[in-house]
Amino acid sequence: MATTAILFGIGFTWCVQFGYGTLRLMSLGVSKPVLALVWLAGPLSGLLVQPLVGALSDASLSRYGRRRPFILVGVLGICASVLAIAFAPGSFAIPVTVAAFYTLDFSLNTAMAASRALVVDVTPVHLQASANSWASGMQGLGTVFGYFAGFVDLTQLFGAVDSGDTVGQLRILGVITCTVLVFTTAVTFFSAVETPLNNPIEFSEEEEEEEGTLENVSSPTLPKSCLTPFQDILNGYTHLPRKIYRVCVIQFWAWLSWFPFCFYASSWIASKHTDPESEAAVRAGSFALLWNAIVSLGTMVLAPSLTGASHNASHIPRLFMIWSVSLVLFFLLMQSTVWMDTVNGATVIVGAAGVSWGIALWVPLGIISEHLVKDAVLSCDGGCPQATLIAGTNLYRRIGSSNAENGTRYDSSTTEVQPNLSAGLVLGIHNVFIVIPQLLSSLLTGFIFWVASESALQPSMVPHDDVFGVCLRACSVFALVSAWLCWVK
């Protein structure tokens, strides 16, 4: 449990970004079309950083461990970015804040990738499932507490500045975020026993045959390590089993809907307030997201009981059915935003969407992991899969007659090393199908913002500056496509 503590801090930080990011940028005068470009930082960092950090940390020979240096760099970047966003000087506030947003997203993905890998590294094989559950739970709890901290009037609680000061609220929250992150990181560092990776030793052909070991023991150079995860993803894509490919396609269309909700829901809530730019409006958005986090966490805890035992033949089809229903529910909730003009009503909609969000976080990975185990796509000598979220390194090894490590498989009938669809590689491919629609959705919402700002008919088309609601309704149509694909075999 203590090893996963850092994920509480990361979840806390992420929800502060979601809850205050858009409103902070708008308060500085950033236009809505530019706002969409700023939020490209998230999908870009997810596409580039996670597989890259995975490969580089896998190959790290640091005496402090493979993951700790990357976690430390990520945490330092997060703290610097959060403080820069909160305390950016007036004359340079916009460029500093925009740069800090990109640094924050890249740092968050660095810390996340290395932290999840650390959990896998230090956990015995038979406890992997439990460790991953703790990791997800810690991140979920961090999200709940993060939104709660954003909802509380911190300026009144600490008495540092006048109550109701939005900038003061953000600054206090920024300091709290850094404190929480540093503390949880320290807990993880002192509790996790990480064994540094030793320099590979070359074997002669005779020694390899005697030991039953065949290794590519050359230390991975930086360029090769950088390219390896992306090459693995491209090669593995062509070998995806049909069910996993189906999940990836559904995720592609679903995330075209989820991206605007994640980044603009709090801003939509604030727009329903009598004073949309007030600190009270910002806290109203955090309160709605707090309920969304609580509902989604409860959904992830209770929903598995509806699917029956995993060995039943109807288990996977039932997961697809639940996923489809949740996507239809999300579409209906987003369409209902057109009639909602009050903060309380908008809060109910965002909170209810937590049911769909909880299903979205649980079902796709559940289907993938079940398929990996049942169809033996993932090989493990102990009979229990060690699921990692990171693409493998450029080290190939065969011990005895067979072994699968680091996303590769050695075929004794040929000298060619063929790709093996390990959990890390499959989840890397799955991550690409999540990130690319985020890029497309960001461009689509940017276009909507531009049309709204340029159109002379905007006041009648989007009353009360409901451009965020337009984005939610327009992009939620893609959820129906995903719901239909859940029934297409």
Side-chain angles (χ1 to χ4, degrees):
M1 180 181 71
T3 304
T4 64
I6 187 175
L7 293 168
F8 180 98
I10 291 175
F12 191 102
T13 306
W14 230 312
C15 72
V16 170
Q17 182 191 27
F18 288 163
Y20 278 80
T22 297
L23 296 172
R24 172 59 172 165
L25 291 168
M26 291 178 61
S27 70
L28 296 175
V30 176
S31 65
K32 292 184 177 71
V34 175
L35 188 66
L37 296 179
V38 174
W39 283 118
L40 281 173
L44 282 175
S45 59
L47 182 64
L48 299 175
V49 172
Q50 289 207 21
L52 187 59
V53 168
L56 294 179
S57 63
D58 279 344
S60 174
L61 301 177
S62 171
R63 62 191 179 95
Y64 300 106
R66 291 187 293 169
R67 317 300 181 185
R68 278 185 172 85
F70 290 88
I71 294 175
L72 182 60
V73 169
V75 168
L76 292 176
I78 292 170
C79 292
S81 303
V82 169
L83 295 177
I85 292 172
F87 293 91
S91 56
F92 299 98
I94 292 180
V96 169
T97 302
V98 171
F101 261 86
Y102 272 84
T103 304
L104 177 59
D105 274 305
F106 278 76
S107 299
L108 276 168
N109 277 280
T110 298
M112 171 66 80
S115 299
R116 295 304 292 258
L118 177 64
V119 173
V120 172
D121 289 345
V122 302
T123 304
V125 173
H126 66 283
L127 294 177
Q128 285 293 325
S130 176
N132 283 322
S133 296
W134 271 107
S136 299
M138 278 293 187
Q139 190 172 344
L141 285 175
T143 300
V144 171
F145 278 90
Y147 285 134
F148 177 76
F151 165 68
V152 174
D153 189 347
L154 298 175
T155 59
Q156 184 178 25
L157 181 64
F158 288 93
V161 290
D162 293 337
S163 179
D165 182 0
T166 305
V167 176
Q169 173 86 0
L170 179 59
R171 287 177 175 175
I172 296 174
L173 189 58
V175 173
I176 293 175
T177 299
C178 293
T179 303
V180 170
L181 183 61
V182 170
F183 175 76
T184 54
T185 301
V187 172
T188 294
F189 273 20
F190 285 108
S191 61
V193 180
E194 187 182 11
T195 304
L197 180 67
N198 294 323
N199 235 328
I201 303 174
E202 290 197 32
F203 290 89
S204 65
E205 292 183 5
E206 292 80 4
E207 289 174 322
E208 289 169 352
E209 291 177 358
E210 290 175 4
E211 298 294 330
T213 304
L214 180 59
E215 300 186 72
N216 175 0
V217 294
S218 59
S219 299
T221 60
L222 181 60
K224 187 178 292 185
S225 297
C226 291
L227 292 176
T228 296
F230 304 106
Q231 292 172 343
D232 287 345
I233 288 174
L234 289 175
N235 293 334
Y237 171 76
T238 60
H239 297 83
L240 276 182
R242 183 175 179 82
K243 286 183 180 179
I244 295 180
Y245 176 76
R246 179 184 174 193
V247 170
C248 290
V249 173
I250 295 171
Q251 285 283 68
F252 176 88
W253 291 99
W255 272 92
L256 286 171
S257 297
W258 280 118
F259 180 82
F261 179 83
C262 290
F263 288 102
Y264 301 129
S266 63
S267 300
W268 176 69
I269 294 283
S271 71
K272 303 303 176 183
H273 198 273
T274 53
D275 185 3
E277 297 183 1
S278 67
E279 188 268 339
V282 176
R283 290 195 295 113
S286 293
F287 181 70
L289 292 176
L290 169 63
W291 276 109
N292 178 274
I294 293 174
V295 172
S296 64
L297 189 61
T299 301
M300 285 188 286
V301 172
L302 299 176
S305 62
L306 302 176
T307 63
S310 59
H311 62 269
N312 292 339
S314 61
H315 181 65
I316 296 296
R318 194 169 297 175
L319 288 177
F320 276 110
M321 182 189 69
I322 293 174
W323 195 7
S324 177
V325 171
S326 73
L327 289 165
V328 173
L329 173 63
F330 179 71
F331 167 78
L332 294 176
L333 289 171
M334 294 303 100
Q335 294 304 309
S336 67
T337 60
V338 71
W339 298 292
M340 198 56 59
D341 293 324
T342 65
V343 171
N344 290 338
T347 299
V348 171
I349 291 176
V350 172
V355 174
S356 299
W357 181 239
I359 297 297
L361 295 178
W362 162 58
V363 168
L365 291 178
I367 295 174
I368 290 175
S369 62
E370 295 254 351
H371 187 82
L372 289 173
V373 173
K374 289 184 178 180
D375 292 356
V377 178
L378 175 63
S379 300
C380 181
D381 290 342
C384 178
Q386 179 169 342
T388 176
L389 298 180
I390 307 298
T393 67
N394 195 41
L395 301 176
Y396 311 136
R397 174 182 295 170
R398 185 171 68 91
I399 300 177
S401 59
S402 64
N403 188 34
E405 294 182 0
N406 304 321
T408 60
R409 179 180 68 245
Y410 186 82
D411 187 350
S412 60
S413 63
T414 177
T415 58
E416 179 183 2
V417 178
Q418 300 175 352
N420 174 41
L421 294 181
S422 66
L425 180 57
V426 169
L427 292 175
I429 298 171
H430 175 255
N431 185 63
V432 171
F433 277 84
I434 292 177
V435 169
I436 291 179
Q438 292 181 36
L439 292 170
L440 298 177
S441 184
S442 183
L443 295 175
L444 176 59
T445 54
F447 175 75
I448 293 174
F449 290 150
W450 177 79
V451 170
S453 64
E454 295 294 325
S455 175
L457 299 176
Q458 180 184 356
S460 60
M461 293 173 60
V462 283
H464 307 295
D465 195 23
D466 195 35
V467 65
F468 294 115
V470 173
C471 291
L472 295 177
R473 292 189 291 273
C475 293
S476 68
V477 174
F478 297 113
L480 287 183
V481 178
S482 295
W484 174 71
L485 289 173
C486 286
W487 296 94
V488 178
K489 297 183 179 180

